[in-house]
């Protein structure tokens, strides 16, 4: 299993929302759950805030290099107008192989 921890500033603007999720080689982890978080703003301004997410992924990845990324997507049933990560700060992504 893989334990993922992500920490960064995230932000959305002007009555919108965003879904931040971890992708492994372009695929979303679904076992035991997705590793994601939602941000929603119901104001006509831009707000950034520090946040973090941690989760376990049991996706079978073989040896060798892999692409692990933070993806910003549209939450189901919501609008996505403008979203960002890492505004004037250092973002942190750590992946550890663990036994659960």
């Amino acid at each position: 299993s893989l334990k993922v921890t992500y920490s960064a500033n995230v932000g959305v603007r002007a009555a919108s929302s965003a879904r931040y999720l971890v992708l492994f080689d372009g695929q979303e982890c679904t076992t035991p759950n997705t590793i994601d978080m939602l941000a929603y703003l119901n104001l006509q301004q831009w707000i950034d805030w520090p946040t973090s997410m941690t989760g376990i992924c049991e996706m079978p990845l073989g040896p060798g290099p892999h692409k692990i990324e933070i993806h910003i997507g549209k939450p189901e049933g919501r609008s996505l107008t403008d979203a960002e990560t890492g505004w004037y700060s250092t973002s942190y992504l750590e992946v550890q192989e663990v036994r659960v």
Side-chain angles (χ1 to χ4, degrees):
S1 297
L2 300 174
K3 177 183 177 185
V4 178
T5 301
Y6 174 67
S7 179
N9 278 341
V10 299
V12 293
R13 177 184 6 200
S16 68
S17 57
R19 179 176 180 233
Y20 298 85
L21 63 147
V22 180
L23 299 180
F24 297 87
D25 296 329
Q27 299 295 314
E28 185 174 354
C29 181
T30 58
T31 304
N33 293 302
T34 59
I35 303 173
D36 66 350
M37 62 184 173
L38 300 176
Y40 175 72
L41 182 64
N42 194 16
L43 302 169
Q44 295 301 318
Q45 59 186 348
W46 184 272
I47 294 180
D48 290 280
W49 60 92
T51 191
S52 63
M53 65 177 164
T54 300
I56 298 290
C57 180
E58 295 179 359
M59 179 180 283
L61 296 175
H66 295 279
K67 183 178 180 181
I68 301 170
E69 60 187 310
I70 302 301
H71 177 77
I72 301 174
K74 178 180 171 284
E76 188 174 330
R78 296 283 184 181
S79 64
L80 173 66
T81 56
D82 200 356
E84 68 179 10
T85 62
W87 185 76
Y88 285 101
S89 66
T90 300
S91 297
Y92 177 81
L93 176 63
E94 180 180 26
V95 180
Q96 297 176 320
E97 191 171 8
V98 296
R99 291 185 180 169
V100 292

